[in-house]
Amino acid sequence: QVQLVESGGGSVQAGGSLRLSCAASGAISRRACMGWFRQTPGKEREGVATIATDGNTAYADSVKGRFTISQDNAKNTLYLQMNSLKPEDTGMYYCAATRTSCSVAYRLRVGMDYWGQGTPVTISA
């Protein structure tokens, strides 16, 4: 079993910043990719950012230059630094992981194997 627990969501005004964290535990592979996805009511889930163990990353076009994904392997923690937030960034943000190594661009499009419960992010204009 793999457990992913997100934290750091909240409500901020447009232009502000938030930092999401995801604590991973359980039988997660050392080669696993991890990522952040988000979903808004009425819309499909979309990939925000993904990262591989070699540091390779992929970002949605809508967040490039504003969001940064990183991981602390020693702490088994994934982060998403979100700057210059916009109202359209509002949604439930989910942490995810794969069973093994991956193509970060491919997984950004199709999703991953394990999912957290999500943390809400609300950006007001």
Side-chain angles (χ1 to χ4, degrees):
Q1 282 282 30
V2 172
Q3 292 82 43
L4 302 170
V5 180
E6 304 95 336
S7 61
S11 299
V12 298
Q13 290 188 327
S17 298
L18 282 174
R19 188 194 196 202
L20 305 184
S21 299
C22 171
S25 62
I28 187 166
S29 169
R30 291 181 179 179
R31 295 177 296 175
C33 295
M34 297 191 73
W36 292 96
F37 296 76
R38 67 187 179 191
Q39 188 166 23
T40 305
K43 295 180 66 177
E44 290 189 359
R45 182 190 64 208
E46 65 171 339
V48 176
T50 52
I51 188 168
T53 54
D54 62 0
N56 197 23
T57 58
Y59 291 92
D61 288 343
S62 60
V63 306
K64 283 180 181 176
R66 300 188 297 121
F67 291 11
T68 303
I69 189 171
S70 62
Q71 58 188 10
D72 184 332
N73 292 325
K75 295 181 179 179
N76 284 345
T77 303
L78 180 73
Y79 302 100
L80 184 68
Q81 179 66 44
M82 305 187 293
N83 298 327
S84 302
L85 284 160
K86 304 175 181 180
E88 50 264 43
D89 295 318
T90 294
M92 186 68 79
Y93 281 68
Y94 297 92
C95 173
T98 58
R99 290 190 178 92
T100 186
S101 58
C102 80
S103 159
V104 288
Y106 173 73
R107 286 293 188 163
L108 186 71
R109 295 196 310 271
V110 304
M112 294 189 169
D113 304 308
Y114 304 107
W115 297 89
Q117 293 299 308
T119 186
V121 170
T122 303
I123 311 302
S124 57

